[in-house]
Amino acid sequence: MIWARKLVLVLGLALGMAQPQAFAQINPTLSESERGIKRGDGDDAARHLRIEQMHVTAHVMGRTADISLELVIASDNDDPYSATLSMAMPPDAVVTGYALNVGAVLIPGQLLEQPKAREIFEDEVREDIDPGLAEVDAGNRFTTRIYPIDRKNPRRFRMLFTAPFDPERGIILPLSRDAPIGVLSINVTIDGYDVAPIVRFAGKPTKLDRAGASWTGTARFEQAVIRDGLTIEEGTLARPLTLARHSGGETFFTIADHSDQATTKPKPGRLRVYWDRSLSHGRGAPKLEAEVLARLADATTPTAIDLVTFASDRPEITTVQNIAQLRAALTAVTYRGATSLAGLDGVSLPPASHCILVFDGQVTIDHSAPFMPDCSLSV
């Protein structure tokens, strides 16, 4: 066997992919192919491969949750198999790391463009070298392909992601498997809380003990059939400002506070709304955003509203006179294409007293396009 020290990590946005599966469905899924060749019956569910170990590490620091999953995939066959493991992540989670073992060492992945990464992976599979490929689609589903795995060579990989943590909404890592997992464990650390959040793992509460300024908890199961994943919710922050230190040494902070509502009503003026009509934004919660926007517009009593919708084509402009017309215009929006801010600077519109940008935060093309509105901007 040739051990290669080259892994591939690609964080591609594959528009048009399916949304994350419901929590009750299998997550993560595991499929296999012998030497990268799929069976002819169309059923690629793992028959020889299994998840031998799953270790979850969660670190909540104020309003941020860092979560890592370390899995060992084993085989009952002497022939080399390729594994494809796919997992739905929590909403708004961002993958921050991926590593695959080469011998006894976990080697970090390299970030490449999606087509190049796939090309390298397929070339190295054909040459009997051991690459790993990880991808994240627009539905926030993580997928990794690993080769080779046989009876004598189980493979270990680790993925890390960061997600926002709101104690009222909580965070859920959906996990559900029909096949038993040999060893299932969790390690939780909570920082920045006077009253610890409630943690549940594999359907059972995880006891947290106070250790100085932190709360910690562990749990371990053997030959476990997991039906519920990791849930963290509630808790009382110790203070509105939380300081943290990045692994690179840089200090950053998060603020969880509020301000009193303004008692004076803003002066009427022209309102301009930049609204993302890309496919990815349409898959989010545009109806809820439209309602929030309408309430905000109603509070400012605008004299007129310019609605500028944008995607990967030309921006479209609609001018309405009241909130009812704004709601109707937003309801009529058709969501398609990628997210691009190109062309917004070239739009000629009357001066506005305030502007609002509503989009999903994913600029997928034209990353260098300038966008500098000539008004006070809320995002």
Side-chain angles (χ1 to χ4, degrees), residues 66-211:
D66 293 326
I67 299 177
S68 74
L69 274 81
E70 189 167 312
L71 279 75
V72 174
I73 302 177
S75 174
D76 63 6
N77 198 284
D78 293 326
D79 294 329
Y81 277 81
S82 172
T84 299
L85 186 138
S86 182
M87 189 183 74
M89 298 188 299
D92 302 320
V94 176
V95 172
T96 56
Y98 171 78
L100 178 65
N101 78 298
V102 176
V105 181
L106 280 173
I107 305 297
Q110 180 183 1
L111 181 64
L112 297 175
E113 293 292 336
Q114 193 176 62
K116 180 64 174 177
R118 289 183 176 179
E119 179 183 341
I120 291 176
F121 178 87
E122 292 165 1
D123 287 346
E124 294 191 355
V125 167
R126 284 192 290 267
E127 295 177 15
D128 210 20
I129 302 175
D130 60 325
L133 173 68
E135 300 175 278
V136 179
D137 66 30
N140 220 27
R141 190 168 189 85
F142 171 90
T143 300
T144 182
R145 295 162 61 190
I146 302 171
Y147 177 86
I149 303 173
D150 57 47
R151 192 192 308 271
K152 295 182 179 180
N153 296 294
R155 304 302 298 275
R156 181 185 299 272
F157 86 91
R158 179 189 298 152
M159 66 166 294
L160 302 94
F161 62 84
T162 297
F165 176 67
D166 181 346
E168 293 184 4
R169 295 176 56 190
I171 186 171
I172 298 175
L173 173 62
L175 297 171
S176 180
R177 294 283 301 167
D178 286 337
I181 298 172
V183 176
L184 176 68
S185 62
I186 185 172
N187 190 312
V188 181
T189 302
I190 311 288
D191 286 325
Y193 283 78
D194 275 340
V195 178
I198 298 172
V199 179
R200 294 182 63 85
F201 182 65
K204 299 180 179 180
T206 299
K207 182 176 180 294
L208 298 179
D209 297 314
R210 189 145 202 174

Side-chain angles (χ1 to χ4, degrees), residues 50-72:
R50 66 186 183 278
I51 299 176
E52 184 65 24
Q53 298 178 25
M54 179 187 292
H55 181 65
V56 180
T57 301
H59 184 194
V60 174
M61 186 176 299
R63 292 282 190 159
T64 303
D66 293 326
I67 299 177
S68 74
L69 274 81
E70 189 167 312
L71 279 75
V72 174

Side-chain angles (χ1 to χ4, degrees), residues 259-274:
S259 61
D260 295 331
Q261 186 174 357
T263 55
T264 58
K265 200 169 185 179
K267 294 181 179 180
R270 195 175 191 95
L271 175 66
R272 187 186 308 161
V273 177
Y274 296 98

